[in-house]
Amino acid sequence: MIKAVLFDLDGTLVDTELLSARAWLASGERLGLDVSEELIKSFVGRTADAVTNMLVEHLGITEATAHELFSLHRSIKDELMENELAAKPFAAKALSVLKDHGFALGLATSSYRPVAERELEPFGMQAYFDSITCGDEIEHGKPAPDIYLLAAERLGMRPEECAVVEDSPNGVRAGAAAGMSVFLVPDTIEPTPEIRSMCVDVLGSLDELAGAIRLRNEEIA
């Protein structure tokens, strides 16, 4: 039975992925680098260190330039977030309903803790979580399962007792590799048949999540 629900943050609870994409395009243009939309999509769900390594590999730039590009992206994204950051539809409601039904709630985000806290704070969502696990606390980021396994351990749950709520292919792969029930609410990336096959369900919004978890538990029972 599912007893705990582990949430991704960016693109799942807060609407940051489009802001991040705009920041990548703007920072690449400012430095004269071709940061393609395809490359930007491959960043989703990954840690800052992983993204920096990908910039070096795919753009053929030095590590110093990659760090400069990442820093500029973060600065532009922070400016956009000041006025445009929004919660995903039904995010707070989904957390509240699950909490009321007795589920343990954990956050498992590739964002580093200061970034995650800054994104959660305007919406008061941090209070719902029994534990928060961030990308700077694990060795291998998504799509490796490390962050979800650590999040489950912090809640005192076995992997099979956990549901994962994600928006991206990298996150889905991480949850599936951890042996957890994955629920996908797609954001900027349309799931492939392969990604869909790793999920218990693909939902239209977070408003459907509590019902989908209830059905999953009924099936297991």
Side-chain angles (χ1 to χ4, degrees), residues 2-7 99 102-108 128-133 147-159 161-164 180:
I2 294 171
K3 299 179 181 179
V5 186
L6 309 178
F7 285 84
K99 197 73 172 177
F103 290 95
L105 301 183
L107 187 73
Y128 289 105
F129 293 107
D130 300 293
S131 75
I132 293 178
T133 306
I147 195 165
Y148 280 120
L149 293 173
L150 179 56
E153 180 183 331
R154 287 177 169 176
L155 291 176
M157 299 289 177
R158 300 190 304 274
E161 295 175 319
C162 297
V164 163
M180 300 178 181

Side-chain angles (χ1 to χ4, degrees), residues 33-54:
L33 297 169
D34 182 19
V35 185
S36 67
E37 292 186 10
E38 182 179 357
L39 181 58
I40 292 168
K41 287 182 178 180
S42 72
F43 297 156
V44 178
R46 296 185 183 270
T47 64
D49 286 345
V51 170
T52 302
N53 291 336
M54 293 170 71

Side-chain angles (χ1 to χ4, degrees), residues 68-135:
E68 181 184 4
L69 178 58
F70 190 94
S71 179
L72 181 57
H73 155 265
R74 170 54 63 188
S75 177
I76 294 172
K77 181 180 176 182
D78 285 347
E79 291 176 9
L80 293 172
M81 286 172 54
E82 284 293 324
N83 298 312
E84 300 183 43
L85 181 63
K88 295 295 289 185
F90 307 108
K93 177 184 176 183
L95 292 169
S96 178
V97 169
L98 290 169
K99 197 73 172 177
D100 287 346
H101 282 78
F103 290 95
L105 301 183
L107 187 73
T109 174
S110 296
S111 293
Y112 291 177
R113 186 168 292 270
V115 176
E117 291 177 348
R118 187 165 66 247
E119 293 179 0
L120 287 168
E121 193 275 332
F123 312 108
M125 287 190 282
Q126 189 168 347
Y128 289 105
F129 293 107
D130 300 293
S131 75
I132 293 178
T133 306
C134 299

Side-chain angles (χ1 to χ4, degrees), residues 189-209:
I189 303 174
E190 183 65 25
T192 63
E194 177 197 11
I195 292 299
R196 287 178 176 271
S197 72
M198 297 179 186
C199 301
V200 170
D201 206 348
V202 178
L203 309 176
S205 77
L206 288 170
D207 199 33
E208 303 171 17
L209 179 61

